Amino acid sequence: MSSSPDIAGILDNTKELDRLRKEQEEVLVEINKMHKKLQATPEIVEKPGDTSLSKLKNLYIQAKELSESEVTVSNILLSQLDSLLPSGPTGQQRRKLVAEGNEQKRKRMKVDSDVRVSPSMRNQIEAYASLKGEQVAARVTAEDAEKDEWFVVKVIHFDRETKEVEVLDEEPGDDEEGGGQRTYKLSMSCILPFPKRNDPSTTQEFIPGKHVLAVYPGTTALYKATVISTPRKVSFFPAPFQTRFNNV
């Protein structure tokens, strides 16, 4: 009779465990849908107002929280079962095995996530990783800022896991505190590489009316501009710069 409440508690927690696993499966289905959408139309993230990446991030956060809740409920169940079984090293060994199993599950989820990355995204990651030491254009203001600020900066590191690019502003403006060099950690969408001088495929002819980013003479600051005429030798940015400002 005294063990009945314990059994009831175990059954309640097993139901909770089943619920968490079903929710995880639902979230993973949504994550896979987002992956397929981004693989089919990767250019959608470039459109103003698109929230695909934010939704994907929130889904990963939800999946992480559900996984952690599953670990918590599993540990509670182990403790409840241990209280009904003879004490000894067996219970401790089981807890250790479950902990190791959960760690392996987290690693598998990470590997699965890496495998689901589309070839185009994988190529883009490799391209950004190869930018170390090169100059690029970077938007250093937040996405919701009223005014965009773009500068020519130097890439000093690319984090493959967070997909963040660390850049160095080698010539900060007069209003910078202390007047020293400043570093930024920015998302890939805030970085735009320059065309390669030895790769004609990265350059493009700009027709009048195109919206581009241009460099203030004698500075590293960039501003939005419209092409009026095209001289023989032009040093504008590649196509990704144009598409971002076609509606300016």
Side-chain angles (χ1 to χ4, degrees):
M1 294 295 292
S2 61
S3 63
S4 296
D6 295 330
I7 298 297
I10 289 173
L11 294 176
D12 288 341
N13 282 321
T14 55
K15 290 178 182 179
E16 176 65 11
L17 199 60
D18 288 338
R19 183 189 69 80
L20 290 170
R21 287 174 176 170
K22 287 178 181 177
E23 285 194 25
Q24 284 186 74
E25 291 175 359
E26 292 172 359
V27 171
L28 288 175
V29 168
E30 293 301 317
I31 289 175
N32 287 331
K33 287 181 181 178
M34 288 297 298
H35 284 167
K36 290 179 180 179
K37 177 183 176 182
L38 293 175
Q39 289 173 10
T41 56
E43 68 278 1
I44 195 173
V45 299
E46 306 290 341
K47 295 182 179 179
D50 180 74
T51 58
S52 298
L53 295 180
S54 297
K55 289 179 180 178
L56 185 60
K57 179 181 177 181
N58 290 333
L59 286 170
Y60 272 114
I61 291 173
Q62 189 177 354
K64 179 175 177 291
E65 290 174 349
L66 288 169
S67 179
E68 291 172 348
S69 297
E70 181 185 352
V71 173
T72 300
V73 175
S74 296
N75 287 333
I76 293 173
L77 275 168
L78 281 173
S79 297
Q80 290 175 321
L81 290 169
D82 284 343
S83 67
L84 298 178
L85 295 172
S87 59
T90 306
Q92 295 176 0
Q93 291 175 353
R94 278 201 304 276
R95 282 193 293 273
K96 182 180 179 181
L97 289 172
V98 169
E100 291 175 351
N102 287 326
E103 180 64 24
Q104 291 297 323
K105 180 180 179 181
R106 282 192 290 270
K107 290 180 178 178
R108 283 197 303 273
M109 288 182 68
K110 182 181 182 303
V111 171
D112 290 344
S113 174
D114 292 340
V115 169
R116 293 191 190 102
V117 175
S118 67
S120 60
M121 177 60 73
R122 196 153 41 238
N123 291 338
Q124 189 177 12
I125 290 172
E126 292 300 326
Y128 275 77
S130 69
L131 291 175
K132 184 176 180 179
E134 295 189 17
Q135 285 188 323
V136 297
R139 186 184 71 222
V140 298
T141 48
E143 291 186 6
D144 56 353
E146 293 183 2
K147 183 179 179 182
D148 287 344
E149 290 185 9
W150 289 81
F151 293 99
V152 178
V153 296
K154 182 179 180 181
V155 177
I156 56 179
H157 180 67
F158 175 68
D159 191 319
R160 292 174 179 270
E161 288 199 14
T162 63
K163 314 248 182 337
E164 286 185 331
V165 185
E166 187 174 359
V167 298
L168 174 67
D169 184 359
E170 298 181 281
E171 297 181 13
D174 296 335
D175 58 342
E176 294 288 344
E177 295 182 5
Q181 295 179 335
R182 185 174 180 181
T183 60
Y184 301 89
K185 287 187 177 181
L186 306 169
S187 65
M188 292 169 61
S189 61
C190 295
I191 302 296
L192 294 172
F194 289 104
K196 304 290 185 182
R197 293 183 181 275
N198 58 351
D199 186 359
S201 65
T202 63
T203 60
Q204 179 177 338
E205 181 181 357
F206 291 86
I207 61 174
K210 278 288 185 181
H211 297 290
V212 297
L213 285 178
V215 183
Y216 280 110
T219 73
T220 58
L222 302 169
Y223 65 95
K224 297 177 184 179
T226 303
V227 177
I228 298 176
S229 62
T230 305
R232 290 184 178 180
K233 293 184 178 180
V234 182
S235 180
F236 286 114
F237 295 101
F241 271 91
Q242 305 167 46
T243 56
R244 290 181 184 274
F245 303 108
N246 281 343
N247 297 321
V248 175

